[in-house]
Amino acid sequence: MPLDLPYYYGHSGEQYAFFRIPKLLLTDARFAEVSTDAKLLYGLLLDRMELSYRNGWIDNQNRVFIIFTAEEVMSTLRCRSEKAARLFAELDSTKGIGLIERKRQGLGRPTIIYVKNFSGVLSG
């Protein structure tokens, strides 16, 4: 049964916060094999970048890094651990397309994630 929801009027649609997903991820043929869920995860990781920057999470090479655990992916996307691992692998520079780079810290500490900026590299 569909929900009985009101319509938007005027600028009322601007009341929400949104995640940004770069348009190129959806339109560029080089990303055609990346799943929609992995593209959504990339948008979530980009969103987390702002918080990390404000918190001063910058390495000795001046790169912003984030921590976004598999548990956070599972909670946010309502998925199981296998899918969270697969989505990270799709985006990873080792196994996937290269939109993120993960660095394990060991000793039970969370993995550091560098979200890569592809916008200036892709042209033509």
Side-chain angles (χ1 to χ4, degrees):
M1 173 178 251
L3 299 174
D4 185 22
L5 301 173
Y7 295 97
Y8 283 110
Y9 294 97
H11 294 286
S12 61
E14 296 176 4
Q15 66 184 318
Y16 300 106
F18 292 92
F19 291 110
R20 292 179 292 200
I21 300 172
K23 193 180 287 188
L24 278 176
L25 287 181
L26 301 173
T27 60
D28 193 293
R30 289 171 276 203
F31 300 109
E33 299 302 315
V34 178
S35 72
T36 303
D37 285 344
K39 293 171 185 177
L40 177 58
L41 175 56
Y42 184 80
L44 296 171
L45 300 177
L46 277 178
D47 184 67
R48 183 63 63 93
M49 289 283 294
E50 182 180 340
L51 178 63
S52 291
Y53 178 75
R54 283 187 299 189
N55 287 334
W57 290 11
I58 300 172
D59 71 6
N60 58 5
Q61 295 179 38
N62 206 31
R63 299 178 299 181
V64 177
F65 63 88
I66 67 170
I67 294 175
F68 201 84
T69 64
E71 290 77 17
E72 289 176 285
V73 174
M74 292 163 49
S75 174
T76 304
L77 298 180
R78 311 282 194 276
C79 67
R80 300 177 77 165
S81 61
E82 297 82 10
K83 182 170 184 176
R86 183 175 46 79
L87 295 176
F88 273 130
E90 273 190 76
L91 298 176
D92 193 86
S93 56
T94 304
K95 299 178 182 177
I97 191 86
L99 291 172
I100 64 171
E101 181 179 340
R102 296 184 286 174
K103 297 282 186 187
R104 297 192 192 280
Q105 298 187 87
L107 300 172
R109 296 170 60 199
T111 298
I112 288 175
I113 301 172
Y114 294 99
V115 180
K116 294 188 174 183
N117 180 1
F118 65 88
S119 63
V121 177
L122 297 179
S123 59

